[in-house]
Amino acid sequence: MFNKFFVLAGVGAVLSLGLTGCSTMPTTNEICLIENQRVNVDHLAEAVSIGLRHAGYEIKLLSADEDRSGCARCVEYGLVFNEKRDAVESVVFRSTKNGQVEKQVRGPAKDGGMTLRQVAFYAAEFSLLLKKMDEAAENSDSEYYFNR
């Protein structure tokens, strides 16, 4: 499933970066990443975290049963397997903002497998999409004036 070379390279990158802490007050730049304990893949949460940081987000890792009330935006992730459960078909990301589902996307597996590098890439793409959504929301509240 996972190419050993990419897994080892991804593990090294993940371990060298580490996780950063967040303040207790949620910011628009903070994402609470909800750890998926049903997916038993070493360093998957770290790969997702690295990808989400790509757009400048600060990541706060929470277990599935931790209180999310201090989080304005949460991101959950998972893997979709084929019917035989012997191959990954895609990685899924879902964001919630203030308790409401905001966006859900899938990143397909390539060449019959999914590497940690691919997961981090898809998480980075998702983080850029969230940034664009935030920018659009900020601009939608602005007043516009027509030239006379």
Side-chain angles (χ1 to χ4, degrees):
M1 252 194 252
F2 287 101
N3 184 315
K4 286 184 181 181
F5 174 75
F6 287 116
V7 169
L8 292 175
V11 168
V14 167
L15 293 176
S16 67
L17 290 176
L19 294 175
T20 61
C22 299
S23 65
T24 56
M25 289 296 293
T27 65
T28 57
N29 236 18
E30 179 182 271
I31 288 179
C32 291
L33 180 61
I34 310 304
E35 189 173 21
N36 188 339
Q37 297 167 342
R38 294 178 293 170
V39 178
N40 190 16
V41 176
D42 289 339
H43 307 290
L44 184 60
E46 290 90 346
V48 174
S49 180
I50 287 168
L52 293 175
R53 281 195 200 108
H54 179 72
Y57 287 108
E58 296 174 28
I59 306 303
K60 181 178 181 180
L61 187 62
L62 298 178
S63 66
D65 58 350
E66 267 185 88
D67 180 26
R68 302 177 191 185
S69 63
C71 301
R73 176 179 275 149
C74 295
V75 170
E76 298 173 278
Y77 62 91
L79 298 175
V80 177
F81 292 88
N82 65 2
E83 286 184 25
K84 295 179 183 179
R85 298 201 48 81
D86 62 355
V88 174
E89 291 183 347
S90 61
V91 61
V92 179
F93 301 102
R94 182 176 74 170
S95 65
T96 56
K97 194 167 187 178
N98 300 319
Q100 301 296 316
V101 174
E102 178 182 37
K103 193 74 173 170
Q104 181 168 319
V105 298
R106 285 182 182 225
K110 299 196 188 225
D111 301 323
M114 179 76 66
T115 65
L116 291 174
R117 182 177 286 182
Q118 286 174 305
V119 170
F121 174 79
Y122 286 134
E125 290 289 312
F126 186 55
S127 71
L128 292 173
L129 175 64
L130 294 176
K131 279 288 185 189
K132 287 180 184 177
M133 290 169 52
D134 287 343
E135 289 169 5
E138 286 174 11
N139 292 333
S140 69
D141 293 337
S142 301
E143 290 187 33
Y144 294 96
Y145 296 94
F146 295 105
N147 289 332
R148 292 184 184 186

